[in-house]
Amino acid sequence: MSQPSNPNVASQNWENEGGSVHPKPYAESLGVVRVLTETFKVGGYTYTNLADAVAQARRLQSPSISL
């Protein structure tokens, strides 16, 4: 499938599929609040709490105890 040469055509196709987002003022008028969340990644897992991420990192660094 070929790509449209005009970028406006591509965005119009997306908007016709329901992918368009209303402008920020409209969203705010509906009570939508934007919140940015800091995340931490350790060993393939994602944490929103730094203390949890640090605890997991320490567990990964400590030597395994085999019985």
Short mmCIF file of all heavy atoms in Angstrom, two decimals:
data_model
loop_
_atom_site.label_atom_id
_atom_site.label_comp_id
_atom_site.label_asym_id
_atom_site.label_seq_id
_atom_site.Cartn_x
_atom_site.Cartn_y
_atom_site.Cartn_z
N MET A 1 0.84 -1.17 0.00
CA MET A 1 0.00 0.00 0.00
C MET A 1 0.89 1.23 0.00
O MET A 1 1.84 1.32 0.76
CB MET A 1 -0.91 -0.04 1.22
CG MET A 1 -1.80 1.17 1.35
SD MET A 1 -2.85 1.03 2.79
CE MET A 1 -4.40 0.94 1.98
N SER A 2 0.60 2.20 -0.84
CA SER A 2 1.44 3.39 -0.93
C SER A 2 1.02 4.42 0.12
O SER A 2 -0.12 4.46 0.55
CB SER A 2 1.32 4.01 -2.33
OG SER A 2 0.00 4.44 -2.56
N GLN A 3 1.98 5.22 0.52
CA GLN A 3 1.75 6.28 1.48
C GLN A 3 1.27 7.53 0.76
O GLN A 3 1.76 7.86 -0.31
CB GLN A 3 3.06 6.62 2.23
CG GLN A 3 3.59 5.48 3.06
CD GLN A 3 2.71 5.21 4.26
OE1 GLN A 3 2.12 6.13 4.81
NE2 GLN A 3 2.63 3.96 4.66
N PRO A 4 0.30 8.27 1.32
CA PRO A 4 -0.13 9.51 0.68
C PRO A 4 1.01 10.52 0.68
O PRO A 4 1.75 10.63 1.65
CB PRO A 4 -1.29 10.00 1.54
CG PRO A 4 -1.39 9.09 2.70
CD PRO A 4 -0.43 7.97 2.51
N SER A 5 1.17 11.24 -0.42
CA SER A 5 2.25 12.22 -0.51
C SER A 5 1.93 13.49 0.26
O SER A 5 2.81 14.22 0.64
CB SER A 5 2.53 12.55 -1.98
OG SER A 5 1.35 13.06 -2.59
N ASN A 6 0.67 13.76 0.49
CA ASN A 6 0.26 14.95 1.22
C ASN A 6 -0.01 14.57 2.68
O ASN A 6 -0.89 13.77 2.95
CB ASN A 6 -1.00 15.54 0.57
CG ASN A 6 -1.45 16.82 1.21
OD1 ASN A 6 -1.00 17.19 2.29
ND2 ASN A 6 -2.38 17.50 0.55
N PRO A 7 0.73 15.14 3.65
CA PRO A 7 0.52 14.76 5.05
C PRO A 7 -0.89 15.08 5.55
O PRO A 7 -1.38 14.44 6.45
CB PRO A 7 1.57 15.55 5.81
CG PRO A 7 2.14 16.53 4.88
CD PRO A 7 1.78 16.12 3.49
N ASN A 8 -1.55 16.07 4.97
CA ASN A 8 -2.91 16.40 5.39
C ASN A 8 -3.88 15.27 5.07
O ASN A 8 -4.83 15.03 5.79
CB ASN A 8 -3.39 17.70 4.74
CG ASN A 8 -2.64 18.91 5.26
OD1 ASN A 8 -2.19 18.91 6.41
ND2 ASN A 8 -2.47 19.91 4.43
N VAL A 9 -3.62 14.57 3.97
CA VAL A 9 -4.47 13.44 3.60
C VAL A 9 -4.35 12.35 4.66
O VAL A 9 -5.35 11.76 5.08
CB VAL A 9 -4.10 12.90 2.21
CG1 VAL A 9 -4.82 11.59 1.92
CG2 VAL A 9 -4.40 13.94 1.14
N ALA A 10 -3.13 12.09 5.13
CA ALA A 10 -2.92 11.07 6.15
C ALA A 10 -3.65 11.44 7.44
O ALA A 10 -4.29 10.59 8.06
CB ALA A 10 -1.43 10.90 6.43
N SER A 11 -3.58 12.70 7.86
CA SER A 11 -4.27 13.09 9.09
C SER A 11 -5.77 13.05 8.92
O SER A 11 -6.50 12.69 9.84
CB SER A 11 -3.80 14.47 9.56
OG SER A 11 -4.23 15.47 8.66
N GLN A 12 -6.27 13.39 7.74
CA GLN A 12 -7.71 13.31 7.51
C GLN A 12 -8.18 11.86 7.57
O GLN A 12 -9.25 11.57 8.11
CB GLN A 12 -8.07 13.94 6.16
CG GLN A 12 -7.94 15.44 6.15
CD GLN A 12 -8.08 16.02 4.75
OE1 GLN A 12 -8.22 15.30 3.78
NE2 GLN A 12 -8.02 17.34 4.66
N ASN A 13 -7.38 10.94 7.04
CA ASN A 13 -7.74 9.52 7.12
C ASN A 13 -7.82 9.07 8.57
O ASN A 13 -8.72 8.35 8.97
CB ASN A 13 -6.74 8.66 6.36
CG ASN A 13 -6.86 8.82 4.86
OD1 ASN A 13 -7.89 9.28 4.37
ND2 ASN A 13 -5.81 8.46 4.16
N TRP A 14 -6.87 9.50 9.38
CA TRP A 14 -6.85 9.13 10.79
C TRP A 14 -8.08 9.72 11.49
O TRP A 14 -8.76 9.04 12.26
CB TRP A 14 -5.57 9.62 11.44
CG TRP A 14 -5.55 9.40 12.92
CD1 TRP A 14 -5.67 10.34 13.89
CD2 TRP A 14 -5.39 8.16 13.60
NE1 TRP A 14 -5.61 9.77 15.13
CE2 TRP A 14 -5.43 8.42 14.97
CE3 TRP A 14 -5.22 6.85 13.18
CZ2 TRP A 14 -5.32 7.43 15.93
CZ3 TRP A 14 -5.10 5.86 14.15
CH2 TRP A 14 -5.15 6.15 15.50
N GLU A 15 -8.39 10.98 11.23
CA GLU A 15 -9.53 11.61 11.88
C GLU A 15 -10.84 10.95 11.48
O GLU A 15 -11.77 10.89 12.28
CB GLU A 15 -9.55 13.11 11.57
CG GLU A 15 -8.42 13.84 12.26
CD GLU A 15 -8.31 15.30 11.86
OE1 GLU A 15 -9.14 15.77 11.08
OE2 GLU A 15 -7.40 15.96 12.37
N ASN A 16 -10.92 10.42 10.28
CA ASN A 16 -12.13 9.74 9.85
C ASN A 16 -12.32 8.42 10.59
O ASN A 16 -13.41 7.87 10.61
CB ASN A 16 -12.10 9.48 8.33
CG ASN A 16 -12.25 10.76 7.55
OD1 ASN A 16 -12.76 11.75 8.06
ND2 ASN A 16 -11.81 10.75 6.31
N GLU A 17 -11.26 7.89 11.20
CA GLU A 17 -11.34 6.65 11.95
C GLU A 17 -11.59 6.90 13.43
O GLU A 17 -11.50 5.99 14.24
CB GLU A 17 -10.05 5.85 11.76
CG GLU A 17 -9.85 5.37 10.34
CD GLU A 17 -8.55 4.62 10.17
OE1 GLU A 17 -7.83 4.41 11.15
OE2 GLU A 17 -8.25 4.24 9.03
N GLY A 18 -11.86 8.12 13.80
CA GLY A 18 -12.13 8.43 15.20
C GLY A 18 -10.87 8.69 16.01
O GLY A 18 -10.92 8.72 17.23
N GLY A 19 -9.73 8.90 15.35
CA GLY A 19 -8.48 9.09 16.07
C GLY A 19 -8.17 10.52 16.45
O GLY A 19 -7.22 10.78 17.15
N SER A 20 -8.98 11.45 16.01
CA SER A 20 -8.71 12.85 16.30
C SER A 20 -9.03 13.17 17.76
O SER A 20 -9.99 12.67 18.33
CB SER A 20 -9.54 13.74 15.38
OG SER A 20 -9.33 15.09 15.68
N VAL A 21 -8.22 14.02 18.36
CA VAL A 21 -8.44 14.46 19.73
C VAL A 21 -8.84 15.92 19.70
O VAL A 21 -8.24 16.72 18.99
CB VAL A 21 -7.15 14.28 20.57
CG1 VAL A 21 -7.35 14.80 21.98
CG2 VAL A 21 -6.74 12.82 20.58
N HIS A 22 -9.85 16.26 20.47
CA HIS A 22 -10.29 17.65 20.52
C HIS A 22 -9.20 18.52 21.14
O HIS A 22 -8.39 18.05 21.93
CB HIS A 22 -11.57 17.77 21.35
CG HIS A 22 -12.75 17.13 20.69
ND1 HIS A 22 -13.36 17.65 19.58
CD2 HIS A 22 -13.43 16.00 20.99
CE1 HIS A 22 -14.36 16.88 19.23
NE2 HIS A 22 -14.42 15.86 20.06
N PRO A 23 -9.21 19.80 20.82
CA PRO A 23 -8.20 20.70 21.39
C PRO A 23 -8.24 20.71 22.91
O PRO A 23 -9.27 20.41 23.53
CB PRO A 23 -8.59 22.06 20.82
CG PRO A 23 -9.46 21.79 19.65
CD PRO A 23 -10.11 20.46 19.92
N LYS A 24 -7.13 21.09 23.51
CA LYS A 24 -6.98 21.10 24.97
C LYS A 24 -8.08 21.89 25.68
O LYS A 24 -8.63 21.40 26.67
CB LYS A 24 -5.59 21.62 25.32
CG LYS A 24 -5.28 21.60 26.78
CD LYS A 24 -3.87 22.09 27.05
CE LYS A 24 -3.61 22.18 28.52
NZ LYS A 24 -2.30 22.74 28.81
N PRO A 25 -8.43 23.10 25.23
CA PRO A 25 -9.48 23.84 25.94
C PRO A 25 -10.80 23.08 26.01
O PRO A 25 -11.50 23.13 27.02
CB PRO A 25 -9.63 25.13 25.14
CG PRO A 25 -8.32 25.30 24.45
CD PRO A 25 -7.84 23.90 24.17
N TYR A 26 -11.13 22.34 24.96
CA TYR A 26 -12.36 21.56 24.97
C TYR A 26 -12.29 20.46 26.02
O TYR A 26 -13.22 20.24 26.78
CB TYR A 26 -12.63 20.97 23.58
CG TYR A 26 -13.86 20.08 23.55
CD1 TYR A 26 -15.13 20.63 23.65
CD2 TYR A 26 -13.73 18.71 23.43
CE1 TYR A 26 -16.25 19.82 23.64
CE2 TYR A 26 -14.85 17.89 23.40
CZ TYR A 26 -16.11 18.45 23.51
OH TYR A 26 -17.22 17.66 23.50
N ALA A 27 -11.17 19.77 26.06
CA ALA A 27 -10.98 18.70 27.05
C ALA A 27 -11.07 19.27 28.46
O ALA A 27 -11.71 18.69 29.34
CB ALA A 27 -9.65 18.01 26.83
N GLU A 28 -10.43 20.42 28.70
CA GLU A 28 -10.48 21.04 30.02
C GLU A 28 -11.90 21.44 30.39
O GLU A 28 -12.30 21.33 31.55
CB GLU A 28 -9.55 22.26 30.06
CG GLU A 28 -8.09 21.87 30.05
CD GLU A 28 -7.15 23.08 29.94
OE1 GLU A 28 -7.64 24.20 29.67
OE2 GLU A 28 -5.95 22.89 30.14
N SER A 29 -12.68 21.88 29.43
CA SER A 29 -14.06 22.28 29.72
C SER A 29 -14.91 21.07 30.14
O SER A 29 -15.93 21.24 30.80
CB SER A 29 -14.71 22.96 28.51
OG SER A 29 -15.02 22.02 27.50
N LEU A 30 -14.47 19.87 29.79
CA LEU A 30 -15.16 18.65 30.20
C LEU A 30 -14.66 18.12 31.53
O LEU A 30 -15.13 17.11 32.02
CB LEU A 30 -15.00 17.57 29.12
CG LEU A 30 -15.63 17.87 27.77
CD1 LEU A 30 -15.25 16.80 26.77
CD2 LEU A 30 -17.13 17.99 27.89
N GLY A 31 -13.66 18.79 32.10
CA GLY A 31 -13.11 18.36 33.38
C GLY A 31 -11.93 17.41 33.25
O GLY A 31 -11.51 16.80 34.23
N VAL A 32 -11.37 17.29 32.05
CA VAL A 32 -10.20 16.43 31.85
C VAL A 32 -8.97 17.15 32.39
O VAL A 32 -8.72 18.30 32.05
CB VAL A 32 -10.01 16.10 30.35
CG1 VAL A 32 -8.74 15.29 30.14
CG2 VAL A 32 -11.23 15.36 29.82
N VAL A 33 -8.22 16.47 33.23
CA VAL A 33 -7.03 17.06 33.84
C VAL A 33 -5.83 16.24 33.40
O VAL A 33 -5.83 15.00 33.53
CB VAL A 33 -7.13 17.05 35.39
CG1 VAL A 33 -5.87 17.60 36.02
CG2 VAL A 33 -8.36 17.82 35.84
N ARG A 34 -4.81 16.90 32.89
CA ARG A 34 -3.59 16.22 32.45
C ARG A 34 -2.67 16.05 33.65
O ARG A 34 -2.41 17.00 34.39
CB ARG A 34 -2.89 17.04 31.38
CG ARG A 34 -1.63 16.40 30.88
CD ARG A 34 -0.99 17.25 29.81
NE ARG A 34 0.19 16.61 29.30
CZ ARG A 34 0.99 17.15 28.41
NH1 ARG A 34 0.73 18.34 27.92
NH2 ARG A 34 2.05 16.50 27.99
N VAL A 35 -2.18 14.83 33.85
CA VAL A 35 -1.28 14.53 34.95
C VAL A 35 -0.08 13.78 34.38
O VAL A 35 -0.24 12.77 33.69
CB VAL A 35 -1.98 13.65 36.02
CG1 VAL A 35 -1.02 13.31 37.14
CG2 VAL A 35 -3.21 14.34 36.55
N LEU A 36 1.11 14.27 34.63
CA LEU A 36 2.33 13.59 34.21
C LEU A 36 2.81 12.71 35.35
O LEU A 36 2.81 13.13 36.50
CB LEU A 36 3.41 14.60 33.83
CG LEU A 36 3.04 15.56 32.70
CD1 LEU A 36 4.16 16.54 32.44
CD2 LEU A 36 2.71 14.79 31.44
N THR A 37 3.19 11.49 35.04
CA THR A 37 3.62 10.55 36.06
C THR A 37 5.06 10.14 35.80
O THR A 37 5.40 9.73 34.69
CB THR A 37 2.72 9.29 36.03
OG1 THR A 37 1.37 9.70 36.19
CG2 THR A 37 3.08 8.35 37.14
N GLU A 38 5.88 10.23 36.83
CA GLU A 38 7.26 9.80 36.74
C GLU A 38 7.30 8.29 36.97
O GLU A 38 6.67 7.77 37.89
CB GLU A 38 8.08 10.52 37.81
CG GLU A 38 9.56 10.31 37.70
CD GLU A 38 10.33 11.18 38.68
OE1 GLU A 38 9.83 11.44 39.77
OE2 GLU A 38 11.44 11.59 38.31
N THR A 39 8.03 7.57 36.11
CA THR A 39 8.15 6.12 36.26
C THR A 39 9.61 5.72 36.30
O THR A 39 10.48 6.43 35.79
CB THR A 39 7.44 5.37 35.12
OG1 THR A 39 8.00 5.79 33.87
CG2 THR A 39 5.94 5.63 35.11
N PHE A 40 9.86 4.57 36.92
CA PHE A 40 11.21 4.04 37.07
C PHE A 40 11.20 2.61 36.56
O PHE A 40 10.31 1.84 36.90
CB PHE A 40 11.64 4.09 38.54
CG PHE A 40 11.45 5.44 39.17
CD1 PHE A 40 10.27 5.76 39.83
CD2 PHE A 40 12.44 6.40 39.08
CE1 PHE A 40 10.08 7.01 40.39
CE2 PHE A 40 12.26 7.65 39.64
CZ PHE A 40 11.08 7.96 40.30
N LYS A 41 12.20 2.22 35.77
CA LYS A 41 12.28 0.87 35.21
C LYS A 41 13.46 0.14 35.82
O LYS A 41 14.58 0.66 35.84
CB LYS A 41 12.43 0.93 33.69
CG LYS A 41 11.18 1.46 33.01
CD LYS A 41 11.31 1.33 31.51
CE LYS A 41 10.05 1.78 30.85
NZ LYS A 41 9.07 0.74 30.69
N VAL A 42 13.18 -1.07 36.31
CA VAL A 42 14.21 -1.91 36.90
C VAL A 42 13.93 -3.35 36.49
O VAL A 42 12.84 -3.86 36.76
CB VAL A 42 14.22 -1.81 38.44
CG1 VAL A 42 15.28 -2.74 39.04
CG2 VAL A 42 14.45 -0.39 38.91
N GLY A 43 14.88 -3.98 35.86
CA GLY A 43 14.77 -5.40 35.54
C GLY A 43 13.52 -5.79 34.77
O GLY A 43 12.93 -6.82 35.05
N GLY A 44 13.08 -4.96 33.87
CA GLY A 44 11.92 -5.29 33.07
C GLY A 44 10.59 -4.87 33.68
O GLY A 44 9.55 -5.04 33.06
N TYR A 45 10.60 -4.35 34.88
CA TYR A 45 9.38 -3.90 35.54
C TYR A 45 9.38 -2.38 35.62
O TYR A 45 10.43 -1.74 35.65
CB TYR A 45 9.27 -4.48 36.96
CG TYR A 45 9.06 -5.97 36.95
CD1 TYR A 45 10.13 -6.83 37.06
CD2 TYR A 45 7.79 -6.50 36.80
CE1 TYR A 45 9.95 -8.21 37.04
CE2 TYR A 45 7.59 -7.88 36.78
CZ TYR A 45 8.67 -8.72 36.90
OH TYR A 45 8.49 -10.07 36.88
N THR A 46 8.20 -1.81 35.69
CA THR A 46 8.05 -0.36 35.78
C THR A 46 7.41 -0.02 37.12
O THR A 46 6.41 -0.63 37.52
CB THR A 46 7.16 0.17 34.64
OG1 THR A 46 7.76 -0.21 33.40
CG2 THR A 46 7.03 1.67 34.69
N TYR A 47 7.97 0.95 37.80
CA TYR A 47 7.49 1.37 39.12
C TYR A 47 7.14 2.85 39.09
O TYR A 47 7.79 3.64 38.41
CB TYR A 47 8.58 1.15 40.18
CG TYR A 47 9.00 -0.29 40.32
CD1 TYR A 47 10.01 -0.81 39.53
CD2 TYR A 47 8.38 -1.13 41.23
CE1 TYR A 47 10.39 -2.15 39.64
CE2 TYR A 47 8.74 -2.46 41.35
CZ TYR A 47 9.75 -2.97 40.55
OH TYR A 47 10.12 -4.27 40.66
N THR A 48 6.13 3.23 39.86
CA THR A 48 5.80 4.65 40.01
C THR A 48 6.31 5.16 41.35
O THR A 48 6.25 6.35 41.61
CB THR A 48 4.28 4.89 39.91
OG1 THR A 48 3.62 4.07 40.88
CG2 THR A 48 3.77 4.58 38.52
N ASN A 49 6.81 4.28 42.18
CA ASN A 49 7.33 4.65 43.48
C ASN A 49 8.84 4.39 43.48
O ASN A 49 9.29 3.25 43.28
CB ASN A 49 6.63 3.79 44.56
CG ASN A 49 7.08 4.13 45.95
OD1 ASN A 49 8.26 4.19 46.24
ND2 ASN A 49 6.11 4.33 46.83
N LEU A 50 9.62 5.44 43.72
CA LEU A 50 11.08 5.32 43.69
C LEU A 50 11.59 4.32 44.72
O LEU A 50 12.49 3.54 44.45
CB LEU A 50 11.74 6.69 43.90
CG LEU A 50 13.26 6.71 43.94
CD1 LEU A 50 13.85 6.15 42.66
CD2 LEU A 50 13.77 8.11 44.21
N ALA A 51 11.01 4.31 45.91
CA ALA A 51 11.46 3.39 46.96
C ALA A 51 11.29 1.94 46.53
O ALA A 51 12.15 1.10 46.79
CB ALA A 51 10.69 3.65 48.26
N ASP A 52 10.19 1.63 45.85
CA ASP A 52 9.97 0.28 45.35
C ASP A 52 11.00 -0.10 44.28
O ASP A 52 11.52 -1.21 44.26
CB ASP A 52 8.57 0.12 44.77
CG ASP A 52 7.49 0.21 45.83
OD1 ASP A 52 7.80 0.03 47.03
OD2 ASP A 52 6.33 0.48 45.44
N ALA A 53 11.31 0.85 43.41
CA ALA A 53 12.29 0.60 42.35
C ALA A 53 13.68 0.37 42.95
O ALA A 53 14.41 -0.54 42.51
CB ALA A 53 12.32 1.77 41.37
N VAL A 54 14.05 1.16 43.93
CA VAL A 54 15.35 0.99 44.58
C VAL A 54 15.41 -0.34 45.31
O VAL A 54 16.42 -1.06 45.24
CB VAL A 54 15.63 2.17 45.55
CG1 VAL A 54 16.83 1.89 46.43
CG2 VAL A 54 15.83 3.46 44.76
N ALA A 55 14.33 -0.72 45.98
CA ALA A 55 14.31 -2.01 46.68
C ALA A 55 14.49 -3.16 45.70
O ALA A 55 15.24 -4.10 45.98
CB ALA A 55 13.00 -2.15 47.45
N GLN A 56 13.83 -3.08 44.57
CA GLN A 56 13.98 -4.14 43.56
C GLN A 56 15.40 -4.16 43.00
O GLN A 56 15.98 -5.24 42.81
CB GLN A 56 12.96 -3.96 42.43
CG GLN A 56 13.08 -4.97 41.32
CD GLN A 56 12.84 -6.41 41.78
OE1 GLN A 56 12.33 -6.66 42.87
NE2 GLN A 56 13.23 -7.35 40.94
N ALA A 57 15.97 -3.00 42.75
CA ALA A 57 17.35 -2.94 42.24
C ALA A 57 18.31 -3.56 43.23
O ALA A 57 19.24 -4.29 42.84
CB ALA A 57 17.72 -1.49 41.95
N ARG A 58 18.09 -3.32 44.52
CA ARG A 58 18.95 -3.93 45.54
C ARG A 58 18.78 -5.44 45.56
O ARG A 58 19.76 -6.17 45.71
CB ARG A 58 18.63 -3.35 46.91
CG ARG A 58 19.14 -1.95 47.10
CD ARG A 58 18.83 -1.45 48.48
NE ARG A 58 19.45 -0.15 48.71
CZ ARG A 58 19.22 0.60 49.77
NH1 ARG A 58 18.40 0.18 50.72
NH2 ARG A 58 19.82 1.76 49.89
N ARG A 59 17.54 -5.91 45.43
CA ARG A 59 17.32 -7.36 45.40
C ARG A 59 18.03 -8.00 44.22
O ARG A 59 18.57 -9.10 44.32
CB ARG A 59 15.82 -7.68 45.35
CG ARG A 59 15.10 -7.48 46.67
CD ARG A 59 13.70 -8.03 46.63
NE ARG A 59 12.83 -7.29 45.73
CZ ARG A 59 12.10 -6.23 46.06
NH1 ARG A 59 12.15 -5.77 47.31
NH2 ARG A 59 11.33 -5.63 45.17
N LEU A 60 18.02 -7.32 43.08
CA LEU A 60 18.69 -7.85 41.89
C LEU A 60 20.20 -7.89 42.05
O LEU A 60 20.88 -8.73 41.45
CB LEU A 60 18.30 -7.05 40.65
CG LEU A 60 16.85 -7.19 40.20
CD1 LEU A 60 16.56 -6.22 39.06
CD2 LEU A 60 16.54 -8.61 39.78
N GLN A 61 20.76 -6.96 42.83
CA GLN A 61 22.21 -6.91 43.01
C GLN A 61 22.71 -7.86 44.10
O GLN A 61 23.86 -8.25 44.08
CB GLN A 61 22.65 -5.48 43.37
CG GLN A 61 22.60 -4.55 42.21
CD GLN A 61 23.14 -3.18 42.56
OE1 GLN A 61 23.35 -2.85 43.74
NE2 GLN A 61 23.38 -2.37 41.55
N SER A 62 21.84 -8.22 45.04
CA SER A 62 22.30 -9.08 46.12
C SER A 62 22.51 -10.51 45.62
O SER A 62 21.76 -10.97 44.75
CB SER A 62 21.30 -9.07 47.28
OG SER A 62 20.10 -9.67 46.88
N PRO A 63 23.52 -11.18 46.15
CA PRO A 63 23.78 -12.55 45.69
C PRO A 63 22.64 -13.48 46.11
O PRO A 63 22.04 -13.32 47.16
CB PRO A 63 25.07 -12.92 46.38
CG PRO A 63 25.22 -11.97 47.52
CD PRO A 63 24.44 -10.75 47.15
N SER A 64 22.36 -14.44 45.27
CA SER A 64 21.31 -15.42 45.56
C SER A 64 21.79 -16.36 46.65
O SER A 64 22.94 -16.77 46.69
CB SER A 64 20.98 -16.24 44.34
OG SER A 64 20.67 -15.41 43.25
N ILE A 65 20.88 -16.72 47.52
CA ILE A 65 21.20 -17.69 48.56
C ILE A 65 20.53 -19.00 48.16
O ILE A 65 19.32 -19.08 48.02
CB ILE A 65 20.67 -17.24 49.93
CG1 ILE A 65 21.31 -15.91 50.33
CG2 ILE A 65 20.91 -18.30 50.98
CD1 ILE A 65 20.75 -15.32 51.60
N SER A 66 21.33 -20.01 47.92
CA SER A 66 20.76 -21.30 47.55
C SER A 66 20.89 -22.25 48.74
O SER A 66 21.91 -22.29 49.42
CB SER A 66 21.44 -21.87 46.31
OG SER A 66 22.83 -21.83 46.45
N LEU A 67 19.84 -22.96 48.97
CA LEU A 67 19.82 -23.89 50.10
C LEU A 67 20.15 -25.29 49.67
O LEU A 67 19.88 -25.77 48.66
CB LEU A 67 18.44 -23.86 50.79
CG LEU A 67 18.05 -22.50 51.32
CD1 LEU A 67 16.61 -22.51 51.80
CD2 LEU A 67 18.96 -22.10 52.48
#
